[in-house]
Amino acid sequence: MSKAIITGLIFYLATTFNLLNAQSPDVPTPAPAQKGRIYLTNATIHLGNGQVMENGTIGFENGKIVFLEKNINFKTDQTGKIIDCTGKHIYPGIIAMNTILGLSEIEAVRATNDYAETGAYNPDVRAIVAYNTDSRVTPTVRSNGVLYAQIMPQEGWVSGTSAVVNLDAWNWEDAAVKTADGVVMSWPTMFYFKGWWAEPQGIQPNKDYDKQVADLKEFLKEAKSYCEEPTHEKANLRFESMRGVFNKTENLYVRVDHIKEIEHAIAFAEELGVKIVLVGAKESYMIADELAQKKIPVILDKCHEVPMYEDEDVQQPYKTPAIMQKAGVLYCIGISEGFWQERNLMFEAGTAAAYGLTKEEALEAITLNPAKILGISDSIGTLEKGMVASLIVSGGDVLDMKTSNIEYAFIDGRQIDLNNKQKALYEKFAKKYGVY
């Protein structure tokens, strides 16, 4: 047997083992539906809309918030389950935006990645049907307070349709909050960075930029023309999937970073008459006032990164959220790379709070603001009566990695199991080496 065959066989067996192990029982069982009323008492409640309720009590039943008061002393005969949260903080569930969480398991193993299709124009690709509720990554993210995610397909000029899911479910049907909230598109770039971040080799212009933009515009104009007709003798599935974009019931998410490209994308969106949301948009802070005036939302990239250019303010990524806030832009903070890094999303917001945002504004950037962009703020994103009971209880400030400690989490009133593989390994070796 040749060395190449043996090497291939070893890789196949290792991959198979990883795939089987990824479905192991250490993925917590989804929580059952809420039974009976639950009260969380004596806590500092961060409502997610800028308000904070000291010594507050929140109660929920059948998955909805039904009680919200402060300075309430419950009697022992009070109906329902009572959890004393003295000294603790309660927050709305955090929403991860622009992620492939559940669409990828092991980045280096191609068979576990299901976030892209071949071809440049795939608006009919649906991220929701590829969502893996048995991912071992999801519990590690959920245990830090992230309860919802906007999953986005990638690659190609038109990548597909994004969706919104909750992070505790048996299957994608149970997980779905919105099966389709918008179509994802990438705007061509005018230039490329040669080399890589550790060994940059300068900037190279994209000679095909004008052609790529022209092709993209032609496709979208054809799709709009198609969608202006209510019915067709022969359906075009790619164009049919874009009806929501052109009737403005869904967003057009455009991945774009540089200022000139952002302006080109905005101008074309206005020509098409669609609701555009900028994704990434590293240089969007340069036209924050214009974005606010035109009511164009922005899903910012993570704060924990270096600037794009050598002569740029080294702290610019930290400051961008505050610039957006001051201008009145509807924005949120996301992490586009490393889906497993979503567990650090709240700390990205914490950094923004150290560079111009208040703590409550930073919280809104990962709760209420994402919900507004996704069109689900009537039920998710804040803690108010009538809203879905999706919330987290932390022993400290959830935006501070030193004190954040998620002790309880609820989705639709269901108490979520916060265990995961990483916690199990910690417990195992902490006992072995006598940590406690």
Side-chain angles (χ1 to χ4, degrees):
M1 187 179 294
S2 69
K3 183 178 180 180
I5 294 176
I6 293 174
T7 301
L9 181 59
I10 292 173
F11 178 78
Y12 171 78
L13 292 174
T15 302
T16 303
F17 173 79
N18 283 332
L19 289 174
L20 292 174
N21 199 31
Q23 307 301 322
S24 64
D26 58 25
V27 176
T29 302
Q34 181 185 2
K35 292 183 180 179
R37 185 172 294 195
I38 298 175
Y39 292 97
L40 307 178
T41 65
N42 306 318
T44 300
I45 304 177
H46 303 259
L47 303 184
N49 57 7
Q51 300 180 41
V52 179
M53 181 182 292
E54 301 289 347
N55 192 28
T57 295
I58 186 170
F60 42 96
E61 187 174 15
N62 297 324
K64 294 293 182 68
I65 298 173
V66 296
F67 186 91
L68 188 62
E69 299 289 345
K70 62 180 180 179
N71 300 322
I72 296 293
N73 292 319
F74 272 37
K75 298 179 180 179
T76 56
D77 61 352
Q78 179 72 41
T79 58
K81 179 181 179 182
I82 300 174
I83 300 176
D84 185 6
C85 296
T86 301
K88 306 184 192 308
H89 297 259
I90 299 177
Y91 302 88
I94 295 168
I95 304 172
M97 300 287 281
N98 179 29
T99 181
I100 56 172
L101 181 65
L103 302 180
S104 178
E105 189 68 14
I106 306 169
E107 291 171 290
V109 180
R110 185 176 180 180
T112 70
N113 297 320
D114 199 8
Y115 52 78
E117 295 290 341
T118 58
Y121 299 97
N122 297 299
D124 51 322
V125 169
R126 302 172 63 210
I128 187 64
V129 298
Y131 179 66
N132 176 24
T133 53
D134 290 323
S135 170
R136 294 172 75 186
V137 180
T138 301
T140 68
V141 171
R142 192 175 61 207
S143 63
N144 251 18
V146 179
L147 304 186
Y148 294 94
Q150 179 202 32
I151 52 173
M152 278 192 173
Q154 296 189 358
E155 300 186 11
W157 298 124
V158 181
S159 308
T161 301
S162 60
V164 185
V165 296
N166 78 66
L167 300 188
D168 185 71
W170 286 101
N171 49 52
W172 70 260
E173 291 92 342
D174 293 339
V177 176
K178 258 190 163 183
T179 56
D181 82 284
V183 173
V184 184
M185 183 182 86
S186 295
W187 192 265
T189 183
M190 300 179 73
F191 53 87
Y192 300 103
F193 288 97
K194 297 179 65 178
W196 63 303
W197 68 269
E199 297 178 0
Q201 299 176 17
I203 297 175
Q204 176 179 329
N206 178 12
K207 298 179 181 179
D208 297 324
Y209 176 76
D210 290 337
K211 181 180 185 305
Q212 289 169 350
V213 170
D215 290 345
L216 183 58
K217 286 183 175 181
E218 181 180 359
F219 176 84
L220 293 174
K221 286 180 178 179
E222 287 182 8
K224 181 181 181 180
S225 177
Y226 175 94
C227 292
E228 286 174 346
E229 297 294 329
T231 59
H232 291 269
E233 183 177 342
K234 186 176 181 180
N236 184 317
L237 296 182
R238 293 193 302 173
F239 292 162
E240 286 287 347
S241 63
M242 298 196 69
R243 283 193 181 275
V245 169
F246 294 112
N247 64 25
K248 296 185 178 181
T249 59
E250 297 177 11
N251 295 321
L252 179 63
Y253 294 99
V254 181
R255 291 193 174 100
V256 60
D257 281 325
H258 309 294
I259 185 63
K260 286 292 185 182
E261 298 153 13
I262 290 173
E263 291 177 335
H264 293 170
I266 291 173
F268 185 55
E270 290 175 343
E271 181 182 342
L272 288 177
V274 299
K275 295 192 304 180
I276 187 177
V277 177
L278 302 179
V279 181
K282 288 180 172 60
E283 294 186 348
S284 58
Y285 69 90
M286 297 181 181
I287 55 169
D289 291 334
E290 178 184 347
L291 296 175
Q293 180 183 3
K294 294 182 177 181
K295 298 181 178 180
I296 298 175
V298 180
I299 302 175
L300 294 173
D301 245 341
K302 58 186 178 181
C303 297
H304 295 172
E305 63 179 354
V306 297
M308 295 183 66
Y309 307 107
E310 291 182 356
D311 58 351
E312 198 171 10
D313 183 351
V314 70
Q315 297 176 341
Q316 186 57 56
Y318 309 155
K319 297 176 179 179
T320 296
I323 294 174
M324 295 296 186
Q325 181 77 33
K326 184 177 180 180
V329 178
L330 175 58
Y331 73 97
C332 67
I333 298 173
I335 300 179
S336 61
E337 296 180 359
F339 55 96
W340 47 271
Q341 291 187 30
E342 299 296 348
R343 63 189 179 191
N344 296 321
L345 177 56
M346 61 296 302
F347 308 137
E348 302 277 348
T351 296
Y355 285 84
L357 294 183
T358 67
K359 283 290 184 72
E360 300 310 312
E361 288 170 346
L363 178 64
E364 289 182 48
I366 53 176
T367 55
L368 177 58
N369 289 0
K372 286 181 177 179
I373 293 173
L374 297 171
I376 56 176
S377 60
D378 59 339
S379 58
I380 296 169
T382 59
L383 301 179
E384 301 173 81
K385 288 182 181 179
M387 299 287 282
V388 170
S390 293
L391 50 95
I392 54 178
V393 180
S394 175
D397 183 354
V398 77
L399 303 181
D400 179 9
M401 66 176 65
K402 289 184 178 180
T403 61
S404 178
N405 180 29
I406 306 302
E407 299 183 14
Y408 301 97
F410 300 86
I411 296 178
D412 298 332
R414 301 177 295 117
Q415 186 171 346
I416 306 306
D417 188 339
L418 295 177
N419 289 312
N420 58 60
K421 183 65 174 179
Q422 293 173 355
K423 285 185 177 181
L425 289 172
Y426 174 82
E427 295 286 339
K428 176 180 178 179
F429 289 101
K431 292 177 182 178
K432 177 179 179 180
Y433 295 107
V435 174
Y436 58 84

